[in-house]
């Protein structure tokens, strides 16, 4: 049979190896849960400043109220109260391109814009603005939406964005992705013709990219953060259920309309 | 329309309220991710010692190698590489009664055994052993398996168990559920006729119960911990995929056998 | 490596074997889709009358409007429009004990009540009523709800129930499970003190049990039927989305309430 | 509250309306399950020939042995045997771009190639070949893979493909998508430099497109067909489980390798 290599871990009768460490003696009680999540994906333990920024990003992504994914999770628990894992899974499944994908798309957009300037990064805001103008114009001319801009509720500014930037600055981690993202915030109105706020999902993608994570794993951290939020909502749903009320209200607002013939 | 009450949070144009706090200014950068997960379910912020024990439990539940749920998640990514949320969800869906349910079942078994002794808890090991004997005998006589005992690999002792007990002791949190669970470890061989180790899922349930969480939410923390492990495995699967190799090996070992007629 | 036996099928370069048949030449164009679903689980091809009853049951279970599972599926598509499989999966995950489980629970309840009368079944309605009285009384005395009784909308009778019974009668398939279920409908008011209609999920379970399926697979057919309904709803959601409107209405009805302290 | 329009159905105390029909009296016992699935998505009842082709396509997509999705579903049942819906959902979640997406991608590729020739379709094989050459060359020059070509097992021809074409021909439904797909099979070797078989997922997409379905719903039918296959596999897994054996074999083939430092 084929051998399957892994760097995550292994175990024998007496020991559990996780990431090359002795889980029981070297990790439990010595590393935090957020720290371990970073380590599992990065393959290295975060420094203290990195961990503070990383956990701030996770905290910022944990919950946003009764989002479509939270409603879906609560309604799933209504039908299958014996299967908490099913309700959490249903909630995560809405974490696709439209909501959670923004974090990944922003990280990728910024990484792409930086990719041919690796050895020649701007040294001041004017330089970052110029680089941002090129990237924004290319997206705009191609008819693509800029990821990480705009928010249905926080129209005049997402409160999470400046806090992530500040924490990154405090920890010496305000790197090229964040600087470019901030520059996008400054230059885009002249190009697209209106002012949109830099949103929390976008700044999360920029900060995670500055922590060294590649775009394709960013959605994973958004899902991890969201899982904590879902567990919170579902434990509330167990104590004080609203699923049947949501169902009843929606059901009463449904109106049957015969389907119009296809053209 | 009905109003739907929630204690998780709310937001307006300028502020995001999570758990009654200002997310951006009071939580981000000030609370860790594990701390927030505790707070979301408990409705209160953990003390430092509670948090250390809680995170040790999460760390202990994060990963156990190529478990059925990890294999399912990796194979799901093979077929739907564009949908990381689908692969994480598939992995969580195996977190049912047989594996993750042990944490919940242990917490419930211990809570039930303690429920009519709330104001009259044992004061020494002999007292705990007597209480454990009653509870173990009741399960054994009813033909039910004792939750939290036995492990397919760690037959002579699960290395996580003594570490959780030690951390709880260090933090002044070795409460009635853990003490009863330890007593179950001492008394069960005389009753069921063989010695089984107290496993990591069981001790996790006992520790979480001593932290004040009711049995029905315990599986939620196991799912949260497992999500971090799944994100780690799936980011490895992206870098170095094994899904198609697993598929090929299994497929080659399948043998068609006509179905025998029903009796 | 271990060999894994299966009676479902196998394939080589030139042929696909499904259920011991040549898929391309013997099944495609020759068996219907519902017929194949029956065959896959039963291990035998249905007779014409069995197939008519089986498909009537599937048709009866396909859709019930904007149920919690349909709402969850539509909201999941809102967040992940690129992943139809995720939206279908989210919809199915609500198919647990509270809704779809009724079909399975009814089948199991009836099978259990019949299990010690296999060679001595009643021969007339009085006999069935007596058997039903024993079974209903046992559940009622044990404080358990009778599966398959009652419906939130069809309070005076579920229109699906008499049609399933009639089709079974027409096809010579009104067997012991259906007869016992009908008797439960006659005798339960005297025992539980009120009249509840025999619901569609319950009669589906009875009919499927009379077709020879064991209780543990019945939920599978409910899930299959529901998948067709979900695909219908989701294709409508693609043409004329309501997910964001549902989200907005619910979100506006949410009210933050500080969590009361635990007792 | 907003009203939510639907053409799927509605119900009141006495009647269930599905697709504008009386479910109990007009549909149950009168339409087959496959027929209803067609109707739900198309918004119209299929003619007899359409139904035969449609069901042949569903039958062709139902199962392909121990695929990654089947293995994931079986392993999920191992961990959560109480939640059949979770195991089915886990299986469906692998139905993404790599496997099930082929049906959709083929339908879309063919529809796109036909879109500017709507009123001027070829009248003979030479005409179809010319149109196919243009479409194949455009994909090939853009470095994109042609959807619906090639199969890991059926290297010399997928046995399902000619059968779908034949049934479509018999029913007068061999329309432009199938004709163009056949032409792709004839012309591609000269352009891409090797001969690949037209696979079953691709021909399914072509046939469904000829039945009038738009590309974005095609994956839904593949998911429906796959659900029947999964229910078959999972009912076998209940009778004769292999999940723990698969886990053990894979687990024993895993080898821990320290992660190489990032570049």
């Amino acid at each position: 049979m084929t051998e399957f290599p892994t760097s995550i871990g292994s175990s024998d009768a007496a020991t559990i190896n996780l990431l090359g460490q002795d889980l029981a003696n070297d990790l439990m009680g010595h590393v935090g849960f957020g720290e371990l999540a970073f380590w599992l994906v990065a393959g290295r333990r975060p420094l203290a400043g990195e961990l503070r920024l990383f956990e701030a990003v996770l905290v910022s992504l944990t919950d946003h109220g009764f989002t479509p994914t939270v409603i879906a999770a609560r309604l799933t628990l209504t039908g299958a109260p014996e299967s908490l894992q099913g309700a959490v899974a249903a909630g995560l499944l809405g974490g696709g391109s439209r909501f959670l994908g923004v974090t990944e798309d922003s990280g990728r957009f910024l990484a792409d814009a930086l990719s041919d300037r690796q050895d020649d990064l701007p040294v001041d805001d004017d330089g970052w603005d110029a680089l941002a103008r090129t990237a924004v114009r290319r997206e705009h001319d191609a008819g693509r939406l800029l990821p990480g801009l705009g928010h249905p509720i926080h129209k005049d500014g997402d409160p999470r964005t400046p806090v992530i930037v500040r924490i990154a600055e405090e920890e010496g981690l305000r790197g090229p992705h964040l600087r470019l993202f901030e520059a996008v915030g400054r230059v885009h109105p002249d190009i697209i013709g209106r002012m949109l706020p830099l949103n929390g999902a976008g700044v999360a993608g920029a900060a995670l990219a500055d922590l060294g994570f590649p775009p394709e794993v960013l959605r994973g951290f958004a899902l991890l953060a969201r899982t904590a939020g879902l567990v919170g909502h579902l434990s509330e749903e167990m104590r004080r259920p609203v699923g049947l009320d949501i169902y009843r209200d929606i059901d009463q607002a449904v109106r049957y309309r015969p389907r119009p013939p296809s053209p």
Side-chain angles (χ1 to χ4, degrees), chain A:
Chain A
M1 191 182 189
T2 319
E3 296 192 350
F4 304 116
T6 186
S7 306
I8 305 283
S10 60
S11 52
D12 57 32
T15 317
I16 301 172
N17 155 23
L18 184 60
L19 297 165
Q21 314 296 310
D22 179 327
L23 171 68
N25 293 304
D26 297 337
L27 297 181
M28 289 166 61
H30 299 286
V31 299
F33 178 60
E35 194 175 1
L36 181 61
F38 184 110
W39 195 342
L40 275 161
V41 178
R44 65 177 182 85
R45 194 168 181 170
L47 302 173
E50 291 174 321
L51 181 58
R52 182 163 170 253
L53 177 59
F54 177 70
E55 297 214 64
V57 170
L58 291 186
V59 166
S60 78
L61 296 172
T62 294
D63 187 67
H64 305 89
F66 274 58
T67 51
T69 66
V70 164
I71 303 170
R74 286 180 176 253
L75 289 168
T76 302
L77 194 73
T78 302
E82 75 285 4
S83 175
L84 183 58
Q85 72 273 13
V88 173
L92 293 181
L93 288 171
S97 61
R98 197 192 293 228
F99 301 130
L100 294 207
V102 174
T103 299
E104 180 177 332
D105 294 344
S106 299
R108 181 167 287 119
F109 165 70
L110 298 168
D112 287 351
L114 290 167
S115 63
D116 36 319
R117 291 288 294 272
Q118 294 290 20
D119 304 315
D120 179 31
L121 291 176
V123 293
D124 56 19
D125 278 1
D126 283 354
W128 287 110
D129 286 3
L131 185 55
R133 255 182 229 106
T134 306
V136 170
R137 210 166 267 138
R138 193 176 49 220
E139 294 300 294
H140 186 63
D141 291 351
R144 289 191 289 265
L145 288 178
L146 282 166
L149 265 73
H151 196 282
I153 298 175
H154 308 300
K155 292 180 198 292
D156 298 325
D158 188 316
R160 293 165 293 189
T161 305
V163 175
I164 291 289
V165 172
R166 176 176 53 74
I167 293 172
E169 176 70 25
E170 289 168 4
E171 305 299 343
L173 292 164
R174 194 166 153 222
H177 299 84
L178 276 168
R179 286 186 191 275
L180 179 58
F181 191 58
E182 294 173 76
V184 168
R186 291 189 296 266
V187 307
H188 78 273
D190 277 354
I191 301 171
I192 70 169
R194 59 189 180 130
M195 172 77 168
L196 292 169
L198 296 174
N199 64 38
V203 77
L208 291 170
D210 272 343
L211 285 166
F213 294 106
E216 65 269 21
V217 307
L218 300 190
R219 193 182 300 190
F221 293 128
L223 293 165
L224 174 61
R226 195 58 67 88
T227 302
L230 286 166
V231 171
H233 275 280
L234 292 166
S235 65
E236 182 175 88
E237 181 71 18
M238 291 177 192
R239 288 196 312 275
R240 191 171 52 184
V242 298
L244 284 177
D245 287 341
I246 289 177
Y247 165 41
R248 195 202 49 228
D249 280 13
I250 299 297
D251 187 54
Q252 289 176 355
V254 169
R255 296 289 176 272
Y256 176 70
R257 303 267 177 269
R259 182 163 167 182
S262 299

